[in-house]
Amino acid sequence: MPQKHKVVVTRQLIDEAQKLLESVPGLNIVQWPTEQPADRKWLLENAKGASGILLMLSDICDEELIKAAGDSLKVIASFSVGTDHVDRDALKKRGIRLGYTPTCLTDAVADLTIMLILMAQRRGGEAISKVQTGQWPKMPWSPLLMTGPQIRGSTIGFLGFGRIGQATLKRLLPFGISRVVYLTSEPGQLVKEDHFGLIKGAAIPIEPAKDWEQLACESDVLIVGCALTRSTKHLISTNFLSRMKKLSVLVNIARGPVVDTDALVAALDKGEIFGAGLDVIENEPNILANHPILKQPRCVLVPHIGSATIETREQMATESVKNLLAGLKGEPMVNEVEL
Amino acid sequence: MPQKHKVVVTRQLIDEAQKLLESVPGLNIVQWPTEQPADRKWLLENAKGASGILLMLSDICDEELIKAAGDSLKVIASFSVGTDHVDRDALKKRGIRLGYTPTCLTDAVADLTIMLILMAQRRGGEAISKVQTGQWPKMPWSPLLMTGPQIRGSTIGFLGFGRIGQATLKRLLPFGISRVVYLTSEPGQLVKEDHFGLIKGAAIPIEPAKDWEQLACESDVLIVGCALTRSTKHLISTNFLSRMKKLSVLVNIARGPVVDTDALVAALDKGEIFGAGLDVIENEPNILANHPILKQPRCVLVPHIGSATIETREQMATESVKNLLAGLKGEPMVNEVEL
């Protein structure tokens, strides 16, 4: 890079990533000074003449921003798994490359999935709430007090069975689960990628469901891990939930709108399923304290913290910087979106 | 059993166990009619002439009860893992046998241990509380928002490394942990029982700690799973906690008094450890809503639900009945306390 490149970075980055960025010679770094989201006006003003922009989920990358940057812009490096905040077509027609960070959060999300399964089965939210409100002294021991279903012997159902689903399965095997059934966009078809070598030669049956009815009927634990598309939106519906087992639990770590929240609230009310664990929900983050889902003692909702580990966020930051630099130099990125 | 045996049962039992009890010919069953604890006066009045008593943790079996039963008493079958509520000496001197149900809860407790580890690392309690109180809409995304340490690469420390500890380890292996260090009553010595064949030939180092200081310094996740004795009471002290890593978490699934609660509150206040997950606590269940541990956002406390799965409690009930019947017939029990 003989020429001095202007790069705009919409946050202060985590230690290692910040050091990597600052270590590169020949960069003119213009950086939003805090860990809070960058001001849009600041971004538009400073984009002018930038060769690269490293931005977050909360920064919209549209025609306006791209025009503000001008012809110098070569690369957008997004610190994110999704790229819904980026106008891909606008980048494509100008030949601007787009980097993102989809792979490094598999472990963090799979770990959280296990937490949510166990919390849904073992009534984690209800248990904490009883203690916090001082009810423990008034809970006389009885054989079925605060009991939930046990995971040993369960059939685990996966709606979507990609890398994160398979990483979750890897963790579930020593819990003594007995069977796996999964539904992908190709019902009845064997999944193509066996990311961790678990599927071929597995000690328990791991089988594709022929349709959503089979997935609903047979799962003791149903894990929603599919992409949000027109055909998966509200796939977990009143109809779906009514076919689930009374002692089953639902876990959503994918995207909120795959589950119809009203239907879920009704199913919990009626005892059609035992419990739920949600990392995502429709209309997040705009969930107020009076939201009906928060009145359900058997539902645990956490604020989209799937990838929220220090290690994962550091790695995402570092990969974003690497993608930015690769974009400037015309080299291969760690992960690049095909536009 | 040609003669009609009177048996006193201090609860209604769960389905299968109740059926088993009722299916035995020649029993005169006197049973407390609800799932709430039996009245002491009722128990003393009805014990008279009983050959066997099936009782719960909440029923004290002392000289008074044994005398009330009289010379006919052959067996106490306790629906419990611990037998602190039973006066063993009083049974021993009369040759009365004592059955209990210690083994069937391993899976349920190990499952809950995993839940508590993940909740302590991933800030489960804090996450739920933020959503419940309507704070989610006001949490602007930033790279380190709600992050915690990731389990991959961790050193797992076990204080006590028996069946439940090893069952927990079995579940932890696919999370990518890197090392195990354990402290038993014989520091520096290899543990004798390898309950699940995990230790010999393990893919990661699994080593005894030479002393508690080593366990404190090296653990990223510390799991308290030892018995409560004079030497383990308050073993997790101010001194112990001050040597732990700032990003480490403490999980107690054993007995409350192994951890000095005041010391834990202070350590969380000072940020000496990252978080805690507790199934047990000193003075439980008398934990009021103003207890200082409940003010710690990074501490999760659940009301001693380690064995609280439907399957485990059913199995415990069935085993209690089997122990009772074996005691009447002079046959081997599923699990008998050596008096």
Side-chain angles (χ1 to χ4, degrees), chain A residues 111-112 115-116 118-119 123-125 128 300 302 305, chain B residues 112-128 249 251 274-278 297-302:
Chain A
D111 292 353
L112 195 87
M115 182 186 103
L116 290 173
L118 292 169
M119 288 184 76
R123 303 163 69 167
I128 292 172
V300 162
V302 294
I305 56 173
Chain B
L112 194 87
T113 308
I114 301 296
M115 181 187 105
L116 290 173
I117 293 169
L118 292 167
M119 289 186 76
Q121 289 193 316
R122 302 298 293 275
R123 301 163 70 168
E126 203 181 347
I128 291 171
V249 299
V251 168
F274 185 83
L278 309 176
R298 298 273 184 83
C299 181
V300 162
L301 173 60
V302 295

Side-chain angles (χ1 to χ4, degrees), chain B residues 250-270:
Chain B
L250 171 74
V251 168
N252 188 2
I253 47 101
R255 286 292 176 261
V258 178
V259 176
D260 178 339
T261 310
D262 294 340
L264 175 59
V265 169
L268 287 163
D269 259 340
K270 285 187 275 184

Side-chain angles (χ1 to χ4, degrees), chain A residues 11-12 14 35-37 56 79 107-108 111-112 114-115 118-119 122 124-125 127-128 131-134 136-137 139-152 170-171 174-175 247 279 281 284-289 294 300-313, chain B residues 11-12 14 35-37 56 79 107-108 111-112 114-115 118-119 122 124-125 127-128 131-134 136-137 139-152 170-171 174-175 247 279 281 284-289 294 300-313:
Chain A
R11 291 290 165 95
Q12 286 297 303
I14 308 166
E35 278 204 0
Q36 298 306 307
M56 314 280 137
F79 180 119
D107 283 326
D111 292 353
L112 195 87
I114 301 295
M115 182 186 103
L118 292 169
M119 288 184 76
R122 303 298 294 275
I128 292 172
V131 174
Q132 284 282 347
T133 55
W136 195 0
M139 289 162 64
W141 194 88
S142 79
L144 288 179
L145 178 70
M146 287 301 291
T147 48
Q150 192 157 319
I151 198 163
R152 170 165 299 280
K170 189 174 170 188
R171 286 157 175 74
F175 286 83
L247 287 177
D279 187 38
I281 188 165
E284 66 176 63
N286 298 314
I287 305 300
L288 302 178
L294 302 182
V300 162
L301 173 61
V302 294
H304 207 150
I305 56 173
S307 71
T309 70
I310 302 163
E311 289 83 347
T312 295
R313 293 286 167 82
Chain B
R11 292 288 166 94
Q12 285 297 304
I14 309 167
E35 277 204 359
Q36 297 306 305
M56 312 279 137
F79 181 117
D107 283 326
D111 292 352
L112 194 87
I114 301 296
M115 181 187 105
L118 292 167
M119 289 186 76
R122 302 298 293 275
I128 291 171
V131 174
Q132 284 282 348
T133 55
W136 194 1
M139 289 162 64
W141 195 87
S142 78
L144 288 180
L145 178 69
M146 286 301 294
T147 49
Q150 191 157 321
I151 199 162
R152 172 165 295 281
K170 189 174 170 189
R171 287 157 174 74
F175 285 83
L247 287 177
D279 187 39
I281 188 165
E284 68 176 63
N286 298 312
I287 305 299
L288 302 178
L294 302 182
V300 162
L301 173 60
V302 295
H304 205 149
I305 56 173
S307 69
T309 69
I310 300 162
E311 290 83 346
T312 294
R313 292 285 167 82

